[in-house]
Amino acid sequence: APAEERMVEKIAKMIGPVQSQIYDDVFNIKVTADPINLAYSTEPIGPHMDLCYYESPPGLQLLHCIQHDELGGGHSLLIDGFAAAEQLRAEHPEAFDALCRIPATFIKDHSRREQPVLMSYQRPHVAVDRSGGLIGLFWSPPFEGPLRVPIEDVPTYYRAYRRLHEAINCAPCWQRQIAPGEVLIFNNRRMLHGRTKIEQGATRWLQGCYINIDEYMNSYNKLRREYGDEVDTQVQSIGNQDWALPQYLCMLPPASRSTEQEANQ
């Protein structure tokens, strides 16, 4: 895509409406002299999910590169958080179970903004359905607040937390220095993202935005119905905590009476 400002918004709207949030519809990621956010510094950023302190964190995230010095560092990173969680379950089931049960505190407390923000949300790091299938992962160490749980859960939580941290750090990692004009699109509910250190004085300017996970699925399902792909056997959990069983997850919702009437006209 052309390396032009707000091009990311145009691309996002081809998929669904842009999700509004505290960083505006379209946000800039570039180094500033006095950064109020780790993203605006040159420091490396570990794997994480954005906006865990929202009740409904964004679904798709789009990052469009406008400027990036070739030798300036700042490589983008992606890790399949679900794969790391499943690895944890296989190797340390007691840690996995603890992180399904004990809630973490995700918090955004930032008064040094033109529009101050104070948001907090408690939920476990891992969500499963009634059959134990993994349907949600919430991981954002920079935005974790005080643990507010019974005292007997504290040591259990931190032992499990360290295990998950190790699983994420040992997981296969996709890495790329995206070039001007390239757009990185990923599922914020499943893929943890980060970046390597940016070299001092280097230019790296990305613009980003989000699409709500339900709006994305709405667009996807409408295309499937329009083009006759009623059953997609490759569909896997997208991390939106949908309790649909695997055999139903790949199927479209049943057509409503109004849809059937329209089809017969």
Side-chain angles (χ1 to χ4, degrees):
E4 301 172 358
E5 292 191 52
R6 302 194 75 87
M7 178 57 63
V8 70
E9 181 179 27
K10 296 179 182 178
I11 296 169
K13 287 181 177 179
M14 296 179 186
I15 303 172
V18 172
Q19 179 175 342
S20 296
Q21 32 70 42
I22 60 173
Y23 296 106
D24 295 328
D25 291 355
V26 174
F27 51 87
N28 291 286
I29 304 174
K30 59 171 60 174
V31 176
T32 61
D34 184 22
I36 61 171
N37 188 302
L38 188 60
Y40 311 146
S41 74
T42 61
E43 294 302 307
I45 302 176
H48 66 283
M49 172 183 176
D50 276 5
L51 309 191
C52 277
Y53 41 82
Y54 272 65
E55 183 275 332
S56 182
L60 297 190
Q61 180 167 176
L62 295 85
L63 295 173
H64 177 220
C65 182
I66 297 178
Q67 294 180 345
H68 200 164
D69 292 346
E70 186 175 353
L71 301 178
H75 288 62
S76 297
L77 311 174
L78 286 177
I79 289 173
D80 185 348
F82 270 37
E86 290 291 6
Q87 188 69 25
L88 175 71
R89 170 151 52 183
E91 296 179 355
H92 304 285
E94 74 292 342
F96 183 91
D97 291 344
L99 296 180
C100 290
R101 178 179 62 83
I102 305 173
T105 303
F106 297 99
I107 190 166
K108 176 72 170 180
D109 186 353
H110 199 170
S111 58
R112 292 177 56 199
R113 291 168 51 93
E114 184 177 346
Q115 296 180 331
V117 177
L118 180 55
M119 302 177 71
S120 179
Y121 199 88
Q122 277 193 283
R123 54 160 58 96
H125 288 286
V126 180
V128 295
D129 62 18
R130 58 187 176 275
S131 63
L134 180 60
I135 57 174
L137 177 69
F138 303 93
W139 183 257
S140 190
F143 295 99
E144 291 174 17
L147 193 62
R148 298 198 292 261
V149 299
I151 190 67
E152 59 270 19
D153 281 338
V154 172
T156 302
Y157 170 84
Y158 282 112
R159 281 195 298 268
Y161 183 96
R162 285 194 294 270
R163 294 293 192 187
L164 179 55
H165 188 266
E166 292 168 359
I168 290 170
N169 285 343
C170 293
C173 179
W174 176 90
Q175 179 172 318
R176 177 182 172 84
Q177 186 187 55
I178 57 175
E182 292 184 333
V183 184
L184 177 61
I185 305 176
F186 58 91
N187 181 0
N188 180 61
R189 294 293 192 95
R190 175 166 182 153
M191 303 300 294
L192 305 177
H193 67 288
R195 71 147 194 254
T196 63
K197 179 179 175 62
I198 300 172
E199 298 300 325
Q200 198 66 37
T203 297
R204 182 181 186 269
W205 178 17
L206 308 182
Q207 282 198 323
C209 64
Y210 303 107
I211 299 173
N212 178 276
I213 198 71
D214 299 307
E215 297 289 0
Y216 160 69
M217 287 304 296
N218 176 46
S219 298
Y220 176 59
N221 285 333
K222 287 189 297 183
L223 287 171
R224 288 171 63 193
R225 174 164 286 163
E226 180 178 353
Y227 292 101
D229 188 8
E230 292 286 325
V231 178
D232 183 352
T233 58
Q234 301 302 311
V235 171
Q236 299 180 11
S237 175
I238 58 172
N240 65 342
Q241 302 180 77
D242 189 345
W243 272 49
L245 294 173
Q247 62 265 37
Y248 301 128
L249 189 64
C250 62
M251 300 174 63
L252 287 177
S256 64
R257 183 178 299 275
S258 60
T259 302
E260 294 174 347
Q261 291 174 344
E262 290 172 4
N264 293 329
Q265 289 178 356

